[in-house]
Amino acid sequence: MAKLKNTDELKALRDKLSKETFDPNAHRIRACCGTACTATGAHKVIAAFEKEAAASGVAIDIVKTGCQGLCQKGPVLKVEPNNIFYQRTKTTDVPAIMDYSIKGNSAYRQGLYRDNFLSEPIPLMLEIPFYKKQLRIALRNNGIVDPRNIEHYLAVGGYAGIEKALSSMTTDDVLNEVDKANLRGRGGAGFPAGRKWAHSKGAKSDVKLVIANGDEGDPGAFMDRAIMEGDPHSLIEGMLLCAYAIGAQYGFIYVRHEYPLAVENLKIAIKQAEDLGILGKNILGTGFSFTIDIREGAGAFVCGESTSLVASIEGERGYPRPRPPRLSEIGGGPWGIPGNLNNIETYACVPVIIDKGSDYFRSIGTKNSPGTKVFALTGKVKNTGLVEVPMGITLREIIFEIGGGILDDKEFKAIQTGGPSGGCIPAEHLDLPVDFDSLASVGSMMGSGGMVVLDEETCMVDVAKFFLSFTQSESCGKCPPCRIGTYHMLELLKKITSGKGEDGDIEKLEKIGEQIIAGSLCGLGNSAPNPVLTTIKYFREEYEEHIHDKYCRSKVCSGLGTYTIDHTECFLCGLCKQACAFGAVKELKNSFYIDQDYCTKCKACYTACPIKAVKIDKQKGKPSTSLKRSK
Amino acid sequence: MNLKVDETIGHIREVISEKDKKRGILIHTFQKVQHEMNYLPEDALKMISEKLDIPLSEVYSTASFYKQFYFTPRGKKIVKVCTGTACHVRGASAVMNKLEEEFKIKEGETTPDLSMTLETVGCIGCCGLAPVATVNEDIIGEIDRKKIAAIIDLIKSE
């Protein structure tokens, strides 16, 4: 494609493409090629469709899209023009789907979504409970366009925001629009983007930077990945608008190194935008110049913190630096150049705000947190995946309507939001409307949007230990409260979960936690104790049970409880005896029992038993020596 | 090794100093070397230090800060078990234990014949399929007993 010379040419090209590219009557398959679907064999299915189409002579347009959200049921695909949604597609389903939905006009029942084995299948994507309550702004093009094709992005109205800004808005107009929309940073803390931008704009420097934070180290979060992989042009357009508003010339996208596909797709997108003249020097003949480069991270969670990210871009160790100077001030950014740093999702929302206006954006969500938020819904929930919902939706709606409820119909226990910086929210707050402020009010936080559902089989002390061992190993070690404090807390948690907990341990945890929050240099330390403090707040009785009764009600922690074999259930397979490394499982003529003197509570027998006849009890049970096996 | 400073620093090279440029490509250089050599040999680090004019101690300190870099040779197959939250609650530790048991190595170690390295990773962003592990580039999700056996076969196969 030739370089575009002005905004009129861009408009003309987009009008042309939107008419030509996605013919509403054509046979089209939009196949998800997100990470999860790729792992479950999306590319094999696509190859099968290509082969089948070639053999039967039917012209079908296959669009390899980014993540469509319903990761649990992958590979997923949508067949147009009838918009039939297929899940768990196998190559063997391909001929049937071709016959029913492409050559014919109906749905292939076996491939459709069902809530459960007995319920009616649902053919249309938007009628599936998982998608019904969703509203997509940041993920608006995920699942629709091919991320490696700029024409697709233009065809669905892409780069309309930058066109509008360059042709009819001043830099202040753009800034005011973002400010009016009250777009809050989607990285977690929820700082208003407009205010941040204004601050960066105010820095007196000839050179400025726009940095996109795609480090996303939170375990259990993958929304930035989905945007970078599935819709890189939205990110580029958002960064362009920011650069225009604050007067920046250079941009960086800092991508986590575990995301090679994101790097690849971003590189392609940058090249395409440069070739078209939307990115680079003298953009669309307006004299505005902006270039974007990619920086790959090297695997350090702390580099998601803005000052550490700056250090990492400069090629240093990713140590956080004290503020001020802030990133938006002279001396604060990489090489001292002031810059603006936002999360990927934040930038992806900007083109919509400029194109459709701040009023549209404010009409969605709550008063103080307008717009939508993408959540990565995972854990013990039926439908896992990426979910974008308007702010203000309740946790119950997310978990039970979108997520379809708890896996295996177990009891809901808590939801962990915000990753290692967040906290656990118990069932009593299920009707909490989700936004930045409400989550903070219950001691958790939005974080980057990870939501891990925990059921009755999850031990809260173990979850706290899990998060703390993550932050402890990821602490950069620069400041002692974080380095030593998290280590100390982790040791206490290890002590409690291994059955050696003592009186006063909980209070110690609380006290150290508060001191880490108060004394740490950066966000990692400031938020590291959150998972522990919220679990103590809401599940104190579980901690006490571990310490005083030496019992883990979820049967997760080993070294706690009393192990016995229920003879009414045991069918004498002998696996427990094989599993026991300490000879504690004794065999009698027609029964097995556990000798408490030898038992180390290692849980090997419990895990080995295929029918859960090995029981872990709270009370100090006597070893069963009954010789008779009751029926 | 050919380290072209201008090619890897990006457009920002127009405005920053020569010294900053050299420093700015340091991490990228590690990535390049490790991509070729599979780890960061001592000689390579010395060479990087000389070429970029950064003291060797600083080169080491930066490389050792980041999880991505290794100073010892690694196995032909790199197996990463995801220990993200979703994988953790859905049983990642059982997967790890099984692999440790099978190959008689611990987390972060390489088998003596250099056939495989066993590691954990914070999160690979594929939480929908938890628990997840990767064998080189392949992502294997929803690991259960049956799939562990398949993974072990995959690791042992050439």
Side-chain angles (χ1 to χ4, degrees):
Chain A
M1 250 185 287
K3 222 170 192 160
L4 300 172
K5 290 188 195 70
N6 51 48
T7 48
D8 291 337
E9 282 191 20
L10 173 62
K11 190 172 184 329
L13 176 67
R14 196 178 46 245
D15 288 345
K16 179 170 157 273
L17 287 171
S18 53
K19 277 194 203 95
E20 290 169 3
T21 311
F22 294 123
D23 176 6
N25 300 315
H27 293 300
R28 186 173 300 110
I29 292 172
R30 297 197 204 251
C32 177
C33 291
T35 316
C37 287
T38 301
T40 45
H43 288 281
K44 280 186 205 145
V45 173
I46 291 169
F49 269 113
E50 278 165 353
K51 207 173 133 201
E52 194 77 15
S56 60
V58 187
I60 43 173
D61 177 14
I62 299 178
V63 182
K64 296 174 186 170
T65 74
C67 182
Q68 300 191 2
L70 193 54
C71 303
Q72 180 95 63
K73 310 277 188 205
V76 300
L77 52 93
K78 202 168 79 178
V79 181
E80 291 175 18
N82 294 328
N83 289 320
I84 300 167
F85 184 77
Y86 290 102
Q87 49 131 25
R88 291 204 191 270
T89 324
K90 290 188 268 314
T91 46
T92 46
D93 296 327
V94 170
I97 294 174
M98 283 290 286
D99 283 341
Y100 282 86
S101 303
I102 290 181
K103 291 179 201 158
N105 218 351
S106 59
Y108 170 59
R109 276 179 75 92
Q110 283 91 320
L112 300 178
Y113 174 90
R114 291 162 192 262
D115 271 344
N116 58 52
F117 185 68
L118 296 171
S119 62
E120 259 310 287
I122 305 169
L124 294 179
M125 182 169 180
L126 291 177
E127 287 181 4
I128 295 170
F130 181 79
Y131 289 106
K132 239 183 193 169
K133 291 223 158 179
Q134 292 198 42
L135 178 70
R136 295 185 149 204
I137 290 183
L139 297 176
R140 60 195 176 281
N141 299 323
N142 259 52
I144 295 177
V145 302
D146 181 343
R148 302 188 174 198
N149 194 333
I150 193 170
E151 292 188 11
H152 283 186
Y153 183 69
L154 284 164
V156 295
Y159 291 117
I162 191 70
E163 179 204 309
K164 189 174 168 188
L166 289 177
S167 61
S168 64
M169 294 168 89
T170 64
T171 56
D172 283 331
D173 289 343
V174 175
L175 187 68
N176 288 338
E177 205 64 31
V178 174
D179 197 33
K180 261 199 286 180
N182 193 15
L183 172 67
R184 298 178 67 173
R186 263 43 175 172
F191 190 80
R195 265 171 61 198
K196 210 183 220 179
W197 289 21
H199 205 254
S200 313
K201 192 186 170 101
K204 288 191 175 43
S205 167
D206 295 337
V207 186
K208 282 180 198 168
L209 300 171
V210 171
I211 306 168
N213 183 351
D215 194 50
E216 197 173 50
D218 280 31
F222 50 101
M223 54 290 294
D224 290 347
R225 164 181 214 158
I227 294 171
M228 290 188 286
E229 287 180 0
D231 191 15
H233 287 289
S234 284
L235 169 63
I236 294 174
E237 191 181 352
M239 291 176 72
L240 268 166
L241 286 164
C242 177
Y244 178 69
I246 69 167
Q249 298 83 7
Y250 303 99
F252 286 113
I253 306 175
Y254 191 89
V255 190
R256 189 168 184 223
H257 92 99
E258 274 97 347
Y259 294 172
L261 184 62
V263 174
E264 206 179 310
N265 285 0
L266 281 168
K267 276 186 182 156
I268 294 170
I270 290 171
K271 174 87 176 39
Q272 286 173 340
E274 277 175 354
D275 288 349
L276 213 56
I278 299 175
L279 200 61
K281 304 273 149 161
N282 192 15
I283 292 168
L284 299 173
T286 56
F288 163 56
S289 296
F290 183 65
T291 55
I292 295 178
D293 286 295
I294 296 171
R295 277 283 181 281
E296 276 181 68
F301 177 65
V302 70
C303 288
E305 209 278 333
S306 57
T307 53
S308 303
L309 192 145
V310 167
S312 179
I313 286 182
E314 290 173 355
E316 307 266 349
R317 285 176 286 178
Y319 278 168
R321 297 165 182 174
R323 281 173 286 193
R326 289 194 182 79
L327 208 68
S328 48
E329 290 163 347
I330 292 176
W335 307 288
I337 304 169
N340 183 77
L341 182 129
N342 277 121
N343 173 265
I344 303 290
E345 202 188 322
T346 319
Y347 285 121
C349 291
V350 175
V352 178
I353 293 171
I354 300 300
D355 188 27
K356 295 193 177 169
S358 57
D359 292 334
Y360 166 77
F361 194 75
R362 288 188 75 111
S363 69
I364 304 160
T366 61
K367 191 167 171 289
N368 290 325
S369 306
T372 56
K373 174 78 189 94
V374 186
F375 292 106
L377 185 65
T378 58
K380 302 281 185 73
V381 64
K382 276 180 191 153
N383 300 327
T384 61
L386 267 195
V387 177
E388 183 168 357
V389 286
M391 297 271 194
I393 193 171
T394 64
L395 286 169
R396 189 184 297 278
E397 283 173 286
I398 295 178
I399 301 164
F400 290 93
E401 292 180 33
I402 296 172
I406 310 299
L407 206 62
D408 301 328
D409 292 318
K410 293 222 166 71
E411 196 67 36
F412 170 83
K413 190 176 216 173
I415 181 159
Q416 209 284 340
T417 69
S421 324
C424 294
I425 303 171
E428 64 193 78
H429 291 307
L430 265 180
D431 290 308
L432 188 79
V434 178
D435 64 29
F436 289 104
D437 310 314
S438 67
L439 288 179
S441 72
V442 294
S444 185
M445 65 185 281
M446 184 79 85
S448 53
M451 272 196 174
V452 185
V453 178
L454 311 171
D455 69 358
E456 53 188 318
E457 286 184 353
T458 320
C459 170
M460 300 312 289
V461 190
D462 178 68
V463 166
K465 188 177 80 176
F466 166 75
F467 280 113
L468 213 71
S469 61
F470 179 80
T471 37
Q472 196 267 326
S473 75
E474 291 293 342
S475 168
C476 76
K478 184 174 180 176
C479 69
C482 177
R483 179 180 69 233
I484 301 167
T486 52
Y487 172 79
H488 205 73
M489 279 179 96
L490 183 63
E491 287 304 305
L492 278 169
L493 287 170
K494 277 185 184 161
K495 194 174 130 192
I496 294 170
T497 51
S498 62
K500 297 185 190 91
E502 291 168 288
D503 242 352
D505 280 351
I506 301 178
E507 289 71 23
K508 265 188 212 160
L509 280 172
E510 285 173 329
K511 195 167 172 217
I512 302 169
E514 278 159 24
Q515 286 166 343
I516 297 174
I517 291 174
S520 295
L521 179 62
C522 83
L524 193 153
N526 293 143
S527 59
N530 281 355
V532 183
L533 297 181
T534 52
T535 46
I536 293 180
K537 184 173 166 195
Y538 294 117
F539 300 94
R540 200 183 180 100
E541 73 281 4
E542 280 191 39
Y543 279 85
E544 282 167 353
E545 220 166 49
H546 277 78
I547 295 172
H548 301 302
D549 302 335
K550 310 286 173 212
Y551 175 65
C552 171
R553 65 172 77 175
S554 317
K555 302 178 176 55
V556 170
C557 307
S558 47
L560 296 163
T562 306
Y563 288 66
T564 49
I565 295 169
D566 187 337
H567 294 147
T568 54
E569 289 175 28
C570 176
F571 64 98
L572 305 174
C573 66
L575 287 174
C576 53
K577 187 166 189 269
Q578 270 177 34
C580 186
F582 306 94
V585 180
K586 300 273 160 72
E587 188 174 1
L588 295 176
K589 195 176 170 196
N590 50 6
S591 71
F592 289 93
Y593 76 95
I594 296 171
D595 189 334
Q596 298 301 327
D597 291 340
Y598 289 86
C599 180
T600 61
K601 300 169 185 177
C602 69
K603 256 182 99 181
C605 55
Y606 179 80
T607 340
C609 183
I611 55 161
K612 301 251 175 290
V614 177
K615 303 288 178 199
I616 308 176
D617 294 310
K618 196 173 188 171
Q619 70 277 17
K620 200 108 182 125
K622 287 190 193 80
S624 171
T625 46
S626 150
L627 298 181
K628 262 189 204 155
R629 205 178 148 227
S630 50
K631 277 279 161 197
Chain B
M1 267 179 308
N2 190 12
L3 309 174
K4 282 187 190 152
V5 174
D6 274 348
E7 263 182 32
T8 42
I9 190 73
H11 295 91
I12 194 83
R13 64 175 179 271
E14 298 162 350
V15 289
I16 62 171
S17 72
E18 200 59 36
K19 197 171 159 240
D20 288 339
K21 268 186 226 168
K22 284 184 171 175
R23 176 64 92 157
I25 65 160
L26 183 60
I27 293 171
H28 186 85
T29 313
F30 292 151
Q31 283 164 337
K32 221 164 131 187
V33 171
Q34 183 157 297
H35 187 74
E36 272 170 40
M37 321 275 290
N38 204 4
Y39 73 111
L40 296 179
E42 205 180 322
D43 295 344
L45 289 172
K46 278 183 187 155
M47 202 165 127
I48 292 170
S49 157
E50 277 164 32
K51 280 216 169 186
L52 298 181
D53 202 17
I54 300 170
L56 188 60
S57 61
E58 282 182 37
V59 170
Y60 260 111
S61 81
T62 309
S64 60
F65 180 83
Y66 293 99
K67 271 207 179 134
Q68 193 189 355
F69 306 118
Y70 303 90
F71 301 107
T72 48
R74 310 217 303 145
K76 216 160 104 193
K77 293 242 164 73
I78 299 188
V79 182
K80 291 185 182 173
V81 178
C82 179
T83 52
T85 324
C87 294
H88 177 76
V89 298
R90 283 197 180 184
S93 54
V95 177
M96 194 67 199
N97 290 345
K98 183 77 195 166
L99 290 174
E100 283 182 341
E101 203 177 288
E102 181 71 32
F103 293 95
K104 299 192 174 56
I105 50 172
K106 289 264 169 237
E107 184 206 329
E109 290 178 354
T110 304
T111 51
D113 62 349
L114 293 186
S115 65
M116 87 105 146
T117 302
L118 185 62
E119 288 172 353
T120 58
V121 53
C123 180
I124 49 172
C126 194
C127 313
L129 298 176
V132 180
T134 62
V135 178
N136 289 349
E137 305 286 294
D138 300 329
I139 298 175
I140 302 153
E142 299 188 306
I143 301 171
D144 49 15
R145 273 174 200 221
K146 235 163 114 188
K147 277 214 181 147
I148 288 191
I151 293 173
I152 291 169
D153 287 344
L154 181 68
I155 297 167
K156 284 183 176 167
S157 70
E158 262 317 295

